[in-house]
Amino acid sequence: MTFEITHKINTIVNDNVKEIQTSFDVEFLALEKKSDFNTYEISKTKALNTPSDENTYLTFLENLDQLTYPIKIQTTSQGEFVKMVEYKKWLERWEENIAILMEEYKGSENANDILEKFNLNVYDEETFIQNKFKETFWNLIFLNPKIDNGQQPNNTVINWYIKSIGSLECIGKTKFIQSDTGESLLCFESQDIVNEECTERINFITNNKANQNQYVTNLKVITALEESYRKIQYKSAVFEIQTDTLFHYKEETILK
C-alpha cells in the first residue's frame, strides 16, 4: 500500500510571499494483520521540492529525515496509530547509517551541530514518536474520526503542527456529505482561536508584538469514499490561519 502525497504551503509575512510544494511517497508494507491490530514497515521516498532547494542546511536535514526510515509501527484494525515497534533495533540501524553519512561531512562543524540537535529528538522513544508523527501527512493517514450524530458535542481533535509556530489544537465535527459530482465525502471541519503561545510566535515573526487581535484557524479534512464506503479514494486537508495583512498561512495536503 503506497500513499502518494503532495504538500503545499503558501505564506505571506509582512508582504513577503513564499510558496513551497513537496511531493513524496510513503509505503506501508503489512508485516502482520490481526483482528484487533496491524503491524507495518513504513518507507518514505526522498522528497521532491518545488522550487528546488539548494540550501545546504535543509538538504542535510532532509538526509537525516530520510535515514529515519524504514520504521515499524502498530496500528488498530481501523488504522489509528498505537506504537512504534522494535525501537532499539531501529536505533542501532540509525547509528550505523549516521556513521556512514557523517563520513561525507567529515570536518563540518555545521553538520555536527545539526546532527547533535537532531539527536535530541532521537534517543528517547517517546520523544522520537511525538516528533516523527506530527508531520502533516500523518494526520491524514491516521485520521479515522467517528461520525457526529447531532446529539453529541464536538469531540474530534486534531493537533496540527507548524514548524515555525507550534502545535495548534483543532476541535471539530465530522459528517457525511455528497459532492456536486456525486462523491461520498467524510468531512471534518474545525474553526478555533489560536492559543496564546502560538499567537506570540506569529506576532514575533511579523514583528508585531503589540498586536491585540486574535488569530483564527480553519481546518477542513475530506475523505473521499467509493460507493461501497469500504475503500478510500483520497484524503485532502486545507489548513489556514486567518489574520490581518501582515500574516497569512495556508497549507494544502493531498493523499492518494
Side-chain angles (χ1 to χ4, degrees):
M1 177 171 58
T2 300
F3 297 97
E4 299 175 7
I5 299 164
T6 302
H7 184 221
K8 184 165 65 174
I9 298 176
N10 291 275
T11 58
I12 301 175
V13 179
N14 297 338
D15 295 326
N16 293 317
V17 180
K18 188 172 183 180
E19 178 178 313
I20 298 175
Q21 180 170 308
T22 306
S23 300
F24 52 89
D25 292 345
V26 174
E27 182 181 5
F28 276 61
L29 175 63
L31 302 178
E32 186 178 19
K33 287 199 170 187
K34 300 287 186 179
S35 59
D36 56 346
F37 72 87
N38 300 322
T39 303
Y40 297 98
E41 182 176 86
I42 304 171
S43 301
K44 179 184 174 185
T45 62
K46 192 168 184 177
L48 299 175
N49 300 318
T50 307
S52 60
D53 203 326
E54 298 179 359
N55 185 303
T56 304
Y57 168 78
L58 293 179
T59 299
F60 184 66
L61 275 179
E62 188 177 294
N63 288 336
L64 292 179
D65 177 72
Q66 195 67 31
L67 291 181
T68 62
Y69 294 91
I71 298 173
K72 292 182 182 179
I73 68 165
Q74 188 181 100
T75 72
T76 65
S77 56
Q78 288 75 39
E80 298 165 328
F81 177 80
V82 176
K83 65 179 181 179
M84 186 174 172
V85 178
E86 297 179 353
Y87 167 75
K88 289 183 178 180
K89 286 187 178 180
W90 173 89
L91 192 57
E92 290 173 3
R93 189 177 66 249
W94 164 259
E95 291 178 336
E96 291 170 359
N97 290 334
I98 283 299
I100 296 171
L101 176 66
M102 294 309 290
E103 282 295 318
E104 299 178 27
Y105 291 87
K106 199 169 184 178
S108 171
E109 290 185 13
N110 287 336
N112 287 325
D113 289 343
I114 295 168
L115 176 60
E116 186 176 339
K117 291 177 181 177
F118 196 92
N119 275 337
L120 292 176
N121 296 322
V122 167
Y123 283 92
D124 176 79
E125 183 174 359
E126 185 176 344
T127 302
F128 175 74
I129 290 170
Q130 287 176 350
N131 281 276
K132 173 52 63 180
F133 296 112
K134 67 186 178 185
E135 293 180 77
T136 297
F137 67 92
W138 292 116
N139 280 326
L140 293 185
I141 289 177
F142 294 139
L143 179 64
N144 294 285
K146 295 180 180 179
I147 308 300
D148 293 296
N149 59 19
Q151 305 296 322
Q152 299 289 336
N154 295 354
N155 59 0
T156 300
V157 179
I158 299 177
N159 289 306
W160 205 267
Y161 178 76
I162 303 173
K163 285 183 180 179
S164 58
I165 296 173
S167 186
L168 297 144
E169 187 178 72
C170 302
I171 304 173
K173 287 191 173 183
T174 306
K175 61 183 178 181
F176 272 115
I177 61 174
Q178 204 78 14
S179 73
D180 295 337
T181 58
E183 287 181 306
S184 298
L185 304 177
L186 186 60
C187 184
F188 168 85
E189 291 184 286
S190 169
Q191 186 177 80
D192 271 292
I193 295 172
V194 173
N195 62 54
E196 184 177 346
E197 183 179 351
C198 292
T199 296
E200 289 179 358
R201 287 293 304 155
I202 296 173
N203 290 338
F204 176 80
I205 290 168
T206 57
N207 196 27
N208 190 25
K209 297 177 183 178
N211 173 55
Q212 297 297 316
N213 296 326
Q214 290 182 321
Y215 301 109
V216 178
T217 63
N218 280 293
L219 173 61
K220 187 172 185 177
V221 181
I222 288 176
T223 303
L225 304 168
E226 290 186 342
E227 291 182 4
S228 63
Y229 297 104
R230 293 182 179 179
K231 189 174 181 181
I232 295 173
Q233 292 181 308
Y234 66 86
K235 289 185 178 183
S236 67
V238 177
F239 176 89
E240 194 167 11
I241 297 180
Q242 290 184 343
T243 178
D244 51 31
T245 56
L246 294 176
F247 181 83
H248 183 258
Y249 182 92
K250 186 176 183 181
E251 188 173 354
E252 299 173 85
T253 310
I254 299 175
L255 183 153
K256 296 181 181 179

